[in-house]
C-alpha cells in the first residue's frame, strides 16, 4: 500500500510539470495569436492590416520550414494560419504542413491538422491525394476520436474518384458498436450518395438497416439519405411509408428517451424531417396519403405548446397536409394553423404564415380572402422582407381586376429597394403579370413597361427587353390594336427622349431606339429627321455604352428615308467611322452604305419586316462544302468546346489509383507505369491525335466508326444521310392501310404538330417568364369568374405545320419481307447469334388462327428465322416488363412474335410483354437488340371485332433519343378487328444513365386513350465488343475516364473470377476478351459506338472491378449494373 | 442543406466561417461581405430571415441569423431547411458555446477558434444537422478534451493518481444547470471590436 502511495507521490511532480507544459504552450499560443489579434484591432485601415498580416505570414513561413519546429508549435501555427485565411489572406504554403500534422501528430495535434485541412482544401485540390493514406489509417484506428475525425474529413472534402478507396471502411463502420461512429458513417455515406450515387447503389440495404438502428440518433441520420432518395424517386420508397408513419407516431407519442427532448418537445428536428419525407411520399398518391392522415392529425394536436420549435413542426405539418392528397378535415385544421401564424404578433411567425399562404393560395384562395386585412397591413410593414413576401403572395393571386393595384404596389417597393437580388426577382415577376394575361389596356401596358425598364435598370434579366420587343414585333390578334400599341410606344418614347435621358438605363435606351427605328413611320406627320435628331442626343451622353451605340446606329439605318434624316445620320456615322470597336464600326459602315443605296435598304430592311419569319439555318449547312473541302485537305475535324476542354483537363489529370494490384497483367507487359508516366500519356495522346474520339484510331476496325465524316459532332449538322439499309427499312409496305404514306402524313400533321407547337409555346412561355399555368388558373380574389383571356398569345405559325408534314412519313404496318430485306436479313442474322451464344432457345411459337388472317404473307424462309430467333433472358432485374405471368407471356409471344418485321426477326430480343389494355386496344412491347440501337416494338392489337380508325402511338423520353426507323410517332389510318399493328422505335442513349424512362400514349382519332411507361435499363443499350487482347491494351491506354470498385464476395478465388465473368457475359452481354490467371478483361459498347472496357481481378475474397471509357458517365453507370449482375448471381 | 455558417461582429470582422460547399477564397470573402451587408442593415425588431444573397445560391438561398450583443450568427441554407428549426439550432450552438467557455464572449471565439470549430463539427457534418442535443454535443467535446489531457501525459500514471491530479486541476465539479426558457436568454458577450 505504502508502495503505491510512494510511487504516486514520486510520480506527481513529474505529472504536474508535464501537465503544466501544454498549459504554458497554450498561453504562449494565446499570446502570439493574442498579439496578432490585438494589433489588428488597433489598426485603422485595411492597408495596414494587409501589411501586418503579410508580416505575420512571413513569420509563419519561416517557422514552418524550420526543422526545429515541434508538432506542438506547428499546431499553434496552424491556428494562426486558419485565422489569417479566415480574414482572406492566402496561406497556401501551410497546406502541406496541415496534412503533415494530420498524419503525424498525436490526437490533439491531429485534430487541428484535420481541421486545418478541411478548412484549407477543397475537393479538387491536388494535395488531397496525400491525405488518403492518413484517412485510411485513421478509419482503421481503435481510437474512436481518430475515427470520428477521419469520417468528418471524408464527408467534408473527399471527391468522387477517391470514394472507392475509403468506401469499404466507411461501410464497415455502419456496424460499429458506438452509435456516434455509426451516425457519422451514415452521414458520410449520404455525402457519397450525393457526389456519386452509383458507387453506393449496392448498400441501399444497409441504409435500411440504419433506418432500423436501435439508436434513434443513427435513425435520424439515415433520414437525410431517405429524404434525398424519396425526392428523386418517391414511387420506389412508398413501401417505407408505414415505417416512417410508425416512427413519427412513436416520436410524437413521446416514446423516445427524455434526452431527445428539446424544450420538452420530443426530437423536433426528427419530426420535421419525417414530415418532409411524408410530404414527398404522399404527393399525388392517395393511398399513401391515407396512411398518414392519422399521424398528421396527431402532430397538429400535440404541437400546442407555445415555443418556437413547436411552430417549426406545425409549419412543416401544414406544408405536408397541403402537399399530399387532400383531406378536408385536415385541411381545415391546417388552415386554422396558418391563421395562427399570420395573426401572430411575432414577426418570424408572421413571415412564415405569409409563406404558407403563398404556398397554399392556389389550392385554397378563400384562405387569402380570410386574411385580407392582415395582408394589407403587411404591405405597409416596416420590414422589407415581410413586404416582399406579401408581394409574392399577391403575385400569386393576380387577376385582371387587381392587376393594376398589385403592379403599383410592386413598383413602389421596387423604387425603395436598392437590393440587386430584389430588383431582379421583382422585375422578373412584374413583366409577365403586366403584359401576359391581365393588362387592362394598351397605354397602361406601355406606361408600366416604361416604369419597369427605368427602375429595373441594367440588372434585369436579359430576356425581358427581348421578349417585350418580340411582343411588339409579332403583335397580337388584331392588326388595328397592334398598330395602336406600337404608336403608343413611339409616342411615349419620343416624349421620354425630349426630357433628360441621362438617367435612363442602357437597356431601356436600346429598347427605345429599336422601337423608334422600327415603328416611328406609323406616326403620321413625323419627320424621320426629327427622330434621328432625338437619337443623336442620346449618343451625346458620356455613360452610353458601345452596345447601346450600335442599337442607336442600327435604328438610324432604318430611318434615313429623307434627305434631312440621311444628312443627320451620316454626320453621326462620321463620328464613329474611326472607332476601334469592330461591331460599332461595322454598324457605321452599314449605315453609310444603306443610307446611300435606297434599293438595297428596302431589300435589307423592309418595313414590317419583323413580322416575317426569318429562316435561320442554325446548322450552318451552307458551309458543308467548305468543311468537306477543308477535311479533304487534311484539316482536323471540329470538336465542340466542352470536348476540347475535357481533353485538355484529361491530360492534366492525376491518377489516384495506388500502384500494383489493379494493373492488368496483359497490359503491364507493354506499359508498366500505366497512365502515371508522362511519356505513356503523351504516347497515347499522340496515338489518338486530334481525332474527335480518342478511341477511333486505337480501336479496332470492327467498331465501324465513321471517323472523319462526323463533321459537326453530336448536336451539329451531320451531312451524311442514314446508311442505305436503314433507309430501306424505313420503306413502309402495308397490307392494311391502303396508302400508308399519305395516311401517316395526315395523322402526322394532326397529331404531332400540336405537340410541337405546344412545346415551342411552352419554351416561349418559360423564357419570357409568363407563368402560364399559375396565373391562368389563379383564383379570383373577388369571387368573380375570370373573363379576360390571354391577350398576348402568340399566333401559330403556318410554317411549323408545313415543316413537319414534310418530314418523311414513316410507319411500318405489318412490314412484310421483300427480296431486298431478305438479303439484309442474312447479313444481320449471322452476327448476333455468333456473338451471343448464351441465349435461351426460342419459345415455341403457335400462330393462333384468329391472328393468322391478319398476318401478312410471310415466306417460308423468314418464318424459320423468326422461330429460331433467340429470345433473351434479359428481362429480369430492373425491368418492370418482366413481372407478367409466364402463361400470359407465352400467349403474347406466340401471337405477336410473327408480327415483327422480317428485318428484325433475326435479332436477339426480349420476350413480349403486355403494357396496357382497354377499350378494345391492347398494347404489348418487345425489345429488339439491334447492333446500333435498341428497337422498341410496340404491338397495337385490336381486341374488338370492329375496326379502329386513326390509331397512333406516340413515344417520348427525356433521357433517350429516338432515331432511325421512325420520327416520334407511328400512326395507322385503320386497324381492323383483331388486327395487329407494329410501331417500331429506334432508341439510343446519348447520355449514359443506369436506367431511363420512356413514356408513351396511344390515341384513337384525336383523343388520347391510353398511356404507358416503360423503364429501360442501360443494359438494353449495351452490346458486346469483340476485341483482341492487343486491341484491348491499346484502347485501355487511350481511355481516360475510369472507376474502380472492390467487391467483397467471400468466395473461393478460382471460382470467383470464373463465375463473375460468366455472370457479366450472360447478364450484360459483355465480350470476354481474355482471362489470364486471376484477371479477366471484358469489352462492350454502348450503342452506338461508345466502347467501355472492364478489367476484373480476383484477390482473396475480393473482386476488383475497373472500368474505363472515353466518356465520363458510362463507367459509373455500367459499374452499377456489373455489381448487380455479380451480386445476383 | 446548410451551405455555410458565418459568424462576424458588428463591424463585419469575420470570427468564424465554415463553408460546406466549395467556393474560391475570393468568393468566400465576398460572400462574407455580402452577407454582412445584408444582415447589418436590418433593424432589431424585424424577422430573422432573409432571402437572396446573389453569390450563394440566389433564389434557393435563405439566410437565417441571430444577433447577440456584438456578434451575428448567420446560417446560409437552401430551401429544404426549416427556418424556425435553424433558428433554434443557432440557439443550441450559442448555448453550447456558452457552456463550454463559461460565459462565452467574442474573445473566446477568436482565441479558441479550433474549439469552436470542433463544437460545430459535432453539430453539423457536411452540411447536415448531426446532433441537436446540447448535452450530447458537450459530452462529445468533453470526451475529446479528456483525450487532450491524457495525451498530455496522464495516461501512463496510476488511476488513482490521475483522479487526484484531475481533482486538483478541476476544483469545480461540472454544474448541472437547469435552463428555463432559453429563447429569451442572451448570452453575455462583452463588446470587443
Amino acid at each position: 500500500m505504502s508502495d503505491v502511495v510512494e510511487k504516486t507521490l514520486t510520480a506527481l511532480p513529474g505529472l504536474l510539470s508535464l501537465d503544466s507544459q501544454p498549459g504554458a504552450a497554450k498561453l504562449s499560443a494565446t499570446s502570439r495569436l493574442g498579439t496578432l489579434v490585438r494589433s489588428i484591432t488597433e489598426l485603422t485601415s485595411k492597408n495596414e492590416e494587409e501589411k501586418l498580416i503579410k508580416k505575420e505570414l512571413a513569420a509563419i513561413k519561416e517557422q514552418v520550414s524550420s526543422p526545429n519546429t515541434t508538432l506542438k508549435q506547428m499546431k499553434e501555427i496552424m491556428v494562426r494560419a486558419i485565422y489569417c485565411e479566415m480574414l482572406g489572406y492566402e496561406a497556401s504554403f501551410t497546406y502541406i504542413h496541415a496534412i503533415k500534422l494530420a498524419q503525424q501528430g498525436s490526437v490533439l495535434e491531429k485534430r487541428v491538422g484535420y481541421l486545418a485541412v478541411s478548412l484549407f482544401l477543397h475537393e479538387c485540390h491536388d494535395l488531397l491525394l496525400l491525405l488518403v493514406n492518413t484517412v485510411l489509417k485513421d478509419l482503421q484506428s481503435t481510437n474512436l476520436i481518430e475515427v470520428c475525425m477521419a469520417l468528418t474529413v471524408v464527408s467534408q472534402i473527399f471527391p468522387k474518384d477517391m470514394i472507392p478507396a475509403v468506401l469499404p471502411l466507411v461501410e464497415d463502420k455502419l456496424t460499429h458498436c458506438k452509435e456516434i461512429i455509426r451516425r457519422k458513417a451514415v452521414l458520410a455515406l449520404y455525402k457519397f450518395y450525393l457526389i456519386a450515387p452509383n458507387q453506393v447503389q449496392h448498400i441501399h440495404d444497409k441504409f435500411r438497416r440504419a433506418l432500423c438502428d436501435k439508436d434513434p440518433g443513427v435513425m435520424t441520420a439515415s433520414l437525410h439519405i431517405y429524404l434525398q432518395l424519396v425526392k428523386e424517386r418517391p414511387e420506389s420508397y412508398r413501401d417505407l411509408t408505414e415505417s416512417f408513419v410508425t416512427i413519427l407516431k412513436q416520436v410524437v407519442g413521446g416514446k423516445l428517451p427524455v434526452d431527445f427532448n428539446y424544450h420538452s418537445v420530443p426530437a423536433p428536428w426528427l419530426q420535421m424531417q419525417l414530415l418532409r419525407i411524408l410530404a414527398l411520399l404522399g404527393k399525388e398518391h392517395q393511398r399513401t396519403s391515407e396512411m398518414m392522415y392519422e399521424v398528421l392529425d396527431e402532430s397538429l394536436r400535440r404541437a400546442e405548446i407555445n415555443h418556437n420549435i413547436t411552430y417549426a413542426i406545425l409549419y412543416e405539418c401544414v406544408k405536408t397536409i397541403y402537399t399530399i392528397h387532400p383531406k378536408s378535415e385536415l385541411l381545415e385544421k391546417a388552415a386554422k394553423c396558418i391563421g395562427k401564424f399570420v395573426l401572430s404578433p411575432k414577426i418570424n411567425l408572421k413571415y412564415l404564415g405569409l409563406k404558407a399562404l403563398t404556398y397554399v393560395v392556389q389550392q385554397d384562395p378563400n384562405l387569402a380572402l380570410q386574411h385580407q386585412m392582415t395582408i394589407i397591413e403587411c404591405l405597409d410593414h416596416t420590414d422589407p422582407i415581410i413586404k416582399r413576401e406579401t408581394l409574392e403572395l399577391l403575385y400569386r393571386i393576380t387577376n385582371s381586376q387587381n392587376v393594376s393595384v398589385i403592379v403599383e404596389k410592386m413598383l413602389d417597393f421596387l423604387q425603395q429597394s436598392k437590393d440587386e437580388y430584389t430588383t431582379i426577382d421583382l422585375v422578373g415577376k412584374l413583366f409577365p403579370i403586366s403584359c401576359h394575361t391581365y393588362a387592362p389596356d394598351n397605354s397602361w401596358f406601355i406606361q408600366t413597361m416604361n416604369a419597369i425598364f427605368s427602375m429595373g435598370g441594367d440588372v434585369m434579366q436579359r430576356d425581358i427587353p427581348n421578349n417585350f420587343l418580340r411582343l411588339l414585333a409579332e403583335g397580337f390578334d388584331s392588326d388595328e390594336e397592334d398598330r395602336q400599341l406600337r404608336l403608343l410606344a413611339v409616342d411615349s418614347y419620343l416624349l421620354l427622349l425630349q426630357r433628360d435621358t441621362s438617367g435612363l438605363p442602357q437597356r431601356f435606351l436600346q429598347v427605345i431606339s429599336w422601337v423608334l427605328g422600327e415603328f416611328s413611320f406609323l406616326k403620321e406627320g413625323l419627320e424621320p429627321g426629327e427622330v434621328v435628331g432625338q437619337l443623336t442626343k442620346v449618343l451625346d451622353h458620356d455613360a452610353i455604352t458601345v452596345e447601346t451605340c450600335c442599337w442607336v446606329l442600327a435604328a438610324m439605318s432604318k430611318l434615313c428615308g429623307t434627305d434631312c434624316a440621311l444628312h443627320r445620320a451620316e454626320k453621326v456615322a462620321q463620328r464613329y467611322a474611326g472607332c476601334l470597336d469592330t461591331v460599332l464600326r461595322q454598324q457605321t459602315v452599314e449605315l453609310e452604305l444603306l443610307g446611300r443605296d435606297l434599293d438595297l435598304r428596302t431589300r435589307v430592311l423592309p418595313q414590317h419586316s419583323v413580322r416575317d419569319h426569318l429562316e435561320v439555318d442554325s446548322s450552318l449547312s451552307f458551309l458543308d462544302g467548305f468543311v468537306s473541302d477543308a477535311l479533304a485537305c487534311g484539316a482536323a475535324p471540329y470538336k465542340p468546346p466542352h470536348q476540347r476542354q475535357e481533353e485538355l483537363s484529361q491530360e492534366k489529370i492525376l491518377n489516384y489509383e495506388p500502384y500494383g494490384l489493379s494493373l492488368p497483367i496483359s497490359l503491364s507487359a507493354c506499359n508498366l507505369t500505366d497512365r502515371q508516366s508522362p511519356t505513356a500519356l503523351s504516347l497515347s495522346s499522340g496515338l489518338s491525335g486530334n481525332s474527335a474520339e480518342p478511341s477511333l484510331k486505337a480501336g479496332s476496325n470492327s467498331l465501324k466508326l465513321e471517323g472523319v465524316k462526323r463533321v459537326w459532332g453530336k448536336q451539329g449538322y451531320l451531312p451524311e444521310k442514314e446508311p442505305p439499309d436503314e433507309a430501306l427499312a424505313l420503306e413502309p409496305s402495308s397490307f392494311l392501310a391502303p396508302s400508308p404514306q399519305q395516311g401517316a402524313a395526315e395523322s402526322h400533321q394532326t397529331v404531332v404538330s400540336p405537340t410541337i407547337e405546344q412545346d415551342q409555346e411552352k419554351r416561349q412561355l418559360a423564357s419570357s417568364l409568363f407563368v402560364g399555368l399559375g396565373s391562368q388558373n389563379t383564383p379570383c380574389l373577388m369571387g368573380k369568374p375570370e373573363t379576360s383571356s390571354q391577350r398576348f398569345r402568340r399566333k401559330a405559325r403556318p410554317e411549323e405545320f408545313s415543316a413537319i408534314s414534310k418530314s418523311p412519313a414513316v410507319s411500318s404496318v405489318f412490314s412484310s419481307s421483300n427480296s431486298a430485306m431478305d438479303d439484309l436479313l442474312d447479313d444481320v442474322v449471322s452476327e448476333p447469334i455468333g456473338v451471343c451464344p448464351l441465349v435461351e432457345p426460342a419459345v415455341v411459337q403457335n400462330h393462333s388462327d384468329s391472328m393468322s388472317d391478319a398476318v401478312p404473307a410471310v415466306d417460308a424462309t423468314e418464318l424459320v428465322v423468326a422461330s429460331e430467333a433467340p429470345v433473351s433472358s434479359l428481362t429480369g432485374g430492373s425491368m418492370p416488363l418482366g413481372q407478367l405471368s409466364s402463361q400470359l407471356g407465352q400467349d403474347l409471344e406466340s401471337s405477336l412474335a410473327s408480327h415483327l418485321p422480317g428485318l428484325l426477326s433475326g435479332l436477339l430480343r426480349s420476350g413480349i410483354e403486355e403494357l396496357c389494355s382497354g377499350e378494345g386496344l391492347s398494347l404489348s412491347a418487345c425489345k429488339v437488340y439491334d447492333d446500333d440501337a435498341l428497337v422498341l416494338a410496340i404491338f397495337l392489337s385490336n381486341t374488338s371485332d370492329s375496326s379502329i380508325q386513326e390509331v397512333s402511338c406516340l413515344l417520348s423520353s427525356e433521357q433517350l433519343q429516338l432515331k432511325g426507323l421512325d420520327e416520334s410517332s407511328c400512326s395507322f389510318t385503320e386497324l381492323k378487328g383483331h388486327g395487329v399493328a407494329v410501331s417500331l422505335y429506334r432508341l439510343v442513349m446519348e447520355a449514359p444513365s443506369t436506367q431511363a424512362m420512356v413514356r408513351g400514349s396511344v390515341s384513337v382519332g384525336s383523343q388520347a386513350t391510353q398511356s404507358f411507361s416503360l423503364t429501360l435499363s442501360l443494359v438494353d443499350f449495351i452490346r458486346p465488343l469483340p476485341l483482341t487482347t492487343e486491341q484491348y491494351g491499346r484502347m485501355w491506354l487511350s481511355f481516360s475516364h475510369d472507376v474502380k470498385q472492390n467487391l467483397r464476395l467471400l468466395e473461393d478465388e478460382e471460382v470467383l473470377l470464373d463465375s463473375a465473368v460468366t455472370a457479366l457475359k450472360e447478364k450484360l452481354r459483355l465480350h470476354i476478351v481474355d482471362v489470364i490467371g486471376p484477371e479477366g478483361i471484358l469489352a462492350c459498347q454502348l450503342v452506338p459506338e461508345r466502347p467501355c472496357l472492364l478489367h476484373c481481378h480476383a484477390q482473396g475474397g475480393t473482386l476488383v472491378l475497373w472500368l474505363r471509357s472515353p466518356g465520363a458517365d458510362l463507367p459509373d453507370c455500367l459499374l452499377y449494373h456489373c455489381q448487380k449482375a455479380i451480386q445476383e448471381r | 442543406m446548410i451551405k455555410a455558417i458565418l459568424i462576424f461582429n458588428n463591424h463585419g470582422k469575420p470570427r468564424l466561417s465554415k463553408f460546406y460547399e466549395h467556393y474560391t477564397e475570393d468568393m468566400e470573402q465576398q460572400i462574407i461581405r455580402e452577407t454582412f451587408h445584408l444582415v447589418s442593415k436590418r433593424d432589431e425588431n424585424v424577422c430573422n430571415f432573409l432571402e437572396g444573397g446573389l453569390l450563394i445560391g440566389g433564389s434557393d438561398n435563405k439566410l437565417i441569423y441571430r444577433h447577440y450583443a456584438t456578434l451575428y450568427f448567420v446560417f446560409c441554407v437552401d430551401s429544404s431547411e426549416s427556418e424556425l428549426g435553424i433558428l433554434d439550432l443557432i440557439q443550441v450552438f450559442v448555448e453550447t458555446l456558452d457552456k463550454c467557455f463559461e460565459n462565452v464572449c467574442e474573445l473566446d471565439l477568436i482565441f479558441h477558434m479550433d474549439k469552436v470549430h470542433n463544437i460545430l463539427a459535432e453539430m453539423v457534418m457536411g452540411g447536415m444537422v448531426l446532433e441537436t442535443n446540447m448535452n450530447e454535443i458537450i459530452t462529445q467535446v468533453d470526451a475529446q478534451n479528456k483525450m487532450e489531457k491524457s495525451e498530455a501525459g496522464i495516461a501512463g500514471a496510476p488511476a488513482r493518481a490521475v483522479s487526484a491530479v484531475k481533482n486538483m486541476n478541476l476544483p469545480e465539479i461540472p454544474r448541472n444547470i437547469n435552463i428555463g426558457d432559453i429563447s429569451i436568454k442572451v448570452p453575455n458577450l462583452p463588446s470587443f471590436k
Side-chain angles (χ1 to χ4, degrees), chain A residues 277-288:
Chain A
I277 293 177
L278 288 183
L280 291 171
L281 282 172
K283 194 176 183 184
E284 292 164 4
H285 200 272
Q286 188 173 357
R287 218 159 37 79
T288 320

Side-chain angles (χ1 to χ4, degrees), chain A residues 511-818:
Chain A
V511 168
I512 290 176
S513 50
W514 190 87
V515 171
L516 288 181
E518 204 67 43
F519 297 122
S520 62
F521 72 90
L522 287 170
K523 190 172 163 76
E524 281 166 35
L526 179 68
E527 158 67 17
E530 212 173 291
V531 183
V532 174
Q534 297 279 11
L535 287 173
T536 318
K537 271 200 328 204
V538 172
L539 290 174
D540 291 338
H541 294 299
D542 300 332
I544 196 160
T545 62
V546 175
E547 198 192 350
T548 313
C549 277
C550 292
W551 283 76
V552 172
L553 287 180
M556 285 180 178
S557 337
K558 294 174 196 160
L559 286 169
C560 37
T562 62
D563 287 343
C564 164
L566 182 62
H567 181 66
R568 282 182 178 178
E570 276 180 337
K571 234 162 83 188
V572 174
Q574 274 162 19
R575 220 195 310 170
Y576 291 103
C579 93
L580 287 175
D581 187 274
T582 44
V583 183
L584 184 54
R585 200 149 165 185
Q586 182 194 351
Q587 208 70 54
T588 317
V589 175
E590 278 177 15
L591 170 59
E592 280 175 336
L593 276 175
L594 293 176
R596 270 184 237 125
D597 192 339
L598 183 73
D599 280 350
L600 186 64
R601 194 176 75 232
T602 42
R603 215 145 41 88
V604 177
L605 300 167
Q607 282 182 353
H608 299 290
S609 63
V610 284
R611 298 204 63 175
D612 298 332
H613 184 56
L614 276 179
E615 282 290 340
V616 179
D617 185 0
S618 60
S619 63
L620 306 180
S621 58
F622 53 88
L623 286 174
D624 284 350
F626 175 77
V627 171
S628 53
D629 284 353
L631 284 173
C633 297
Y638 174 74
K639 273 184 266 182
H642 63 90
Q643 197 181 351
R644 269 174 278 164
Q645 206 66 43
E646 219 166 65
E647 274 168 34
L648 269 179
S649 62
Q650 273 162 22
E651 277 171 37
K652 277 186 247 156
I653 207 160
L654 270 172
N655 189 355
Y656 296 113
E657 295 300 332
Y659 297 93
L661 52 116
S662 48
L663 201 64
I665 285 180
S666 53
L667 296 176
S668 56
C670 57
N671 192 343
L672 256 175
T673 43
D674 198 25
R675 265 194 306 132
Q676 273 147 348
S677 134
T679 48
L681 184 66
S682 60
L683 195 117
S684 62
S685 62
L687 245 179
S688 57
N690 260 341
S691 92
E693 279 136 289
S695 63
L696 295 193
K697 284 175 187 165
S700 68
N701 42 9
S702 65
L703 266 175
K704 290 194 287 181
L705 300 176
E706 286 158 318
V708 199
K709 280 175 192 166
R710 279 198 153 187
V711 187
W712 289 95
K714 278 170 193 153
Q715 290 85 16
Y717 183 75
L718 287 165
E720 248 62 36
K721 292 283 169 282
E722 296 288 347
D725 52 344
E726 285 196 12
L728 249 177
L730 289 177
E731 222 32 76
S733 56
S734 157
F735 285 82
L736 277 182
S739 58
Q741 268 171 352
Q742 193 195 346
E746 275 168 18
S747 53
H748 224 98
Q749 206 170 353
T750 52
V751 179
V752 185
S753 33
T755 40
I756 290 183
E757 202 216 349
Q758 256 173 19
D759 233 11
Q760 194 157 2
E761 201 157 334
K762 257 188 222 158
R763 248 182 291 139
Q764 188 103 12
L765 290 176
S767 68
S768 55
L769 289 171
F770 291 359
V771 266
L773 264 176
S775 42
Q776 237 176 300
N777 297 347
T778 306
C780 165
L781 194 60
M782 313 301 163
K784 283 180 217 155
E786 196 158 325
T787 46
S788 77
S789 63
Q790 291 193 7
R791 281 167 55 85
F792 291 50
R793 201 158 41 84
R794 286 185 56 234
K795 280 178 189 169
R797 289 210 191 90
E799 292 98 308
E800 281 162 16
F801 289 91
S802 59
I804 290 149
S805 53
K806 260 181 254 162
S807 65
V810 271
S811 67
S812 114
V813 184
F814 281 67
S815 31
S816 68
S817 57
N818 54 31

Side-chain angles (χ1 to χ4, degrees), chain A residues 36 39-40 43-58 84 87-90, chain B residues 13:
Chain A
L36 174 64
S39 37
I40 284 179
L43 299 176
T44 46
S45 75
K46 187 86 187 156
N47 205 356
E48 283 174 51
E49 183 192 288
E50 204 173 317
K51 240 188 265 171
L52 188 84
I53 297 273
K54 286 260 162 70
K55 226 170 76 193
E56 180 70 21
L57 284 175
C84 293
L87 290 179
Y89 297 92
E90 199 192 296
Chain B
K13 276 254 171 272

